[in-house]
Structures are given as structure tokens and as C-alpha cells.
Amino acid sequence: MSASDAVPAHPAYGVLREVTPFASVLLCDNSGMMELDGTNTYVLRAPGSDECVVVDPGPPKYKHHARRLAELPGVALTLITHRHFDHTGGVKRLHKRTGAPVRARLGEFCRNAEPLRDREVIEVAGLRITVLHTPGHTGDSVSFLVEHEDQRAVLTGDTILGSGTTVLDPSDGGLRDYLNSLNRLIVEGEGAALLPAHGPDHPDLVPVARFYKAHREERIDQIVAALDDMGVSPHEAKPMKVVRRVYSDVDKKLWPAARMSVKAQLEYLREA
Ligand SMILES: [Zn+2]
């Protein structure tokens, strides 16, 4: 086999790349600090099915990406993992081109369909898709457990990424919710592949979810220790001062994001 015959790996722009027998990814070229290599738009279809499901059609203003999705045969449903524009921006165009209903946790993104309910099971494109409400990154974040015969995968949106850590949106995200959601994915994701909305896919979700949880707990411990050193309570602590201590090993460009994270951790500790 020559290198050109090899299966493409992430990041593969402009290629509908198969990641499981029932899921392919089309990576959008909207790379950025928060988007990593870009948004992963997933296309779900059981082998031999005439229908497919598009998950997270990507950002606005990426017409070539939207066109590729609209041209897929049999788009029966669009699903949204959460409200951020790099996931929902393509909704309008795709709905206009395909007429397929759109479903999200928030009604404002739905088209010709009801908002997603926790634990709801959707049978479409020869697949069984279970909706798991996994708030933390945002309040409306959901994950999709997709099952076909004995194979499983979880589309985690931004709740678990293929690399790096998730930023908790200060407007409606939260660390307590987030840790509960990681626990939920550890329980529900047994034997499932991890298909994140940014970064590379992984064959096994649970170890990655456990790593995410351990990483958060480690940061919480570091913050408790830093507050101890600084002699301040979680109520009094200034987030940026904590960032300078705890995130000294992290690129300064990421400090604004780290500050949001620290704010969430301080809130978590205040509630404790
Ligand atoms: Zn997001």
C-alpha cells in the first residue's frame, strides 16, 4: 500500500472522512483559538441507508462547506450540539437547501421540529440516537449517543474536545454541571468512540472523559492550594491573580480563556 492509499487522518479539509462505519466527518476550515483546526461537521448514516443526519453544520459564511452538506444525498435531519455560532451558523442555509428539520436543545435554532429532550431516542438513517443533556460548556450542550448493531459512538460537541480542554462559557456554563456531565459520559459512553466537534476523533471515549475529569480536579486542587498560599477565600480571590499562579505554564494568549475557567472554579468553590 502506498502512502496515497492510506486512510486520511485529522485534519483532512474538504474530504468527507469516515470515522466509524456509520459516521463521517467534514472538517470546516474555520480554524482558530477556540475552534482548533475548525468545526467537525458529522454525517451519520447506517451502511445502506438512503437517509443521513448532519450534526453541527458549521459557522456562517463558509458557503463551500454549506454547499457540500446540502449536496449530500438524503439529508433527513440536522442536529445541533449547542448554541455557539461555529456550530449553528450553517443552520439557515442547510435548512433552506434541504428542507430537513433542525433540532437543538434551544427552540430558537429548531426548524419544523421540537427542541431536544434529555434521554429522547431518535430513530433515523438506520441508527438509534439517544440525546444526553450534558451542560457545563454551555447550559444547552447535548451529546448524542449513536448506536448501530454492536457499535457505538458519542458526539460530544464542545463538552469533550479531541485535544486541549473545554472552556466553560461564563454566561450559562458551570463547573458543577460540567463535572456531572463528564461523569454521565463516563457511565453512558462505555465502549463508544469519541467524536468531538473540534480536534481529532478517538476510538475510546471513556479514558478521555476520565482524563478530562482528572485534569479539572487537579486544577481545582491547584486553585485551593493557591488560595491557601495567597491567604484569600474563594469569595475574595481575584481571578487574574489566580491565573498568574496556576496557569504560569500556559501560553499567555490563553490567559483570557484561563481567567474564565478560574472564575468558574471560584464559583464552584464558593458553592461548596
Ligand atoms: Zn462551543
Side-chain angles (χ1 to χ4, degrees):
M1 195 171 102
S2 75
S4 60
D5 295 329
V7 178
H10 180 89
Y13 296 104
V15 181
L16 188 63
R17 181 174 69 88
E18 187 177 294
V19 288
T20 78
F22 55 79
S24 300
V25 62
L26 185 65
L27 172 61
C28 189
D29 52 345
N30 59 321
S31 57
M33 182 91 79
M34 307 297 272
E35 296 85 356
L36 307 179
D37 313 297
T39 302
N40 292 324
T41 298
Y42 288 97
V43 179
L44 308 174
R45 184 196 301 272
S49 174
D50 297 337
E51 291 181 335
C52 71
V53 179
V54 173
V55 183
D56 288 349
K61 295 180 188 153
Y62 284 72
K63 287 187 185 169
H64 53 291
H65 189 74
R67 197 179 318 119
R68 285 287 299 274
L69 298 173
E71 284 167 357
L72 291 166
V75 176
L77 176 66
T78 298
L79 294 173
I80 300 296
T81 59
H82 67 294
R83 63 182 165 74
H84 284 155
F85 75 99
D86 54 322
H87 303 258
T88 55
V91 160
K92 203 171 155 189
R93 191 181 296 267
L94 187 62
H95 178 63
K96 206 170 142 195
R97 294 277 301 268
T98 65
V102 182
R103 300 195 64 194
R105 180 83 177 160
L106 298 177
E108 67 195 89
F109 298 109
C110 295
R111 301 284 185 279
N112 300 348
E114 293 295 303
L116 296 168
R117 297 181 307 276
D118 186 35
R119 282 263 142 236
E120 180 181 351
V121 175
I122 303 169
E123 309 258 3
V124 62
L127 303 168
R128 183 185 155 88
I129 302 174
T130 306
V131 177
L132 302 172
H133 185 210
T134 47
H137 169 63
T138 59
D140 70 322
S141 287
V142 295
S143 299
F144 299 111
L145 169 63
V146 186
E147 294 169 285
H148 175 64
E149 294 173 353
D150 59 349
Q151 286 181 309
R152 322 173 87 214
V154 180
L155 280 68
T156 53
D158 286 3
T159 299
I160 296 183
L161 303 175
S163 60
T165 58
T166 296
V167 173
L168 308 183
D169 191 310
S171 66
D172 65 344
L175 188 54
R176 190 165 303 272
D177 278 350
Y178 188 68
L179 290 172
N180 286 337
S181 293
L182 291 179
N183 280 332
R184 189 169 193 197
L185 290 172
I186 289 166
V187 172
E188 305 279 351
E190 187 72 53
L194 162 62
L195 307 184
H198 304 282
D201 46 288
H202 290 261
D204 202 354
L205 163 69
V206 171
V208 181
R210 284 192 195 285
F211 175 81
Y212 262 55
K213 189 183 165 193
H215 169 79
R216 289 284 166 174
E217 286 169 346
E218 202 179 300
R219 284 292 188 206
I220 293 167
D221 289 346
Q222 286 173 344
I223 286 181
V224 169
L227 295 181
D228 234 35
D229 273 4
M230 293 156 78
V232 293
S233 74
H235 294 270
E236 302 156 339
K238 296 266 185 294
M240 210 56 209
K241 283 195 173 171
V242 178
V243 169
R244 271 187 215 109
R245 275 178 176 253
V246 176
Y247 287 80
S248 55
D249 58 328
V250 167
D251 188 338
K252 277 187 185 170
K253 278 190 288 189
L254 295 172
W255 279 13
R259 182 177 174 278
M260 286 203 284
S261 212
V262 166
K263 267 185 89 171
Q265 283 155 333
L266 291 173
E267 253 159 55
Y268 172 84
L269 291 170
R270 282 172 200 147
E271 291 161 13

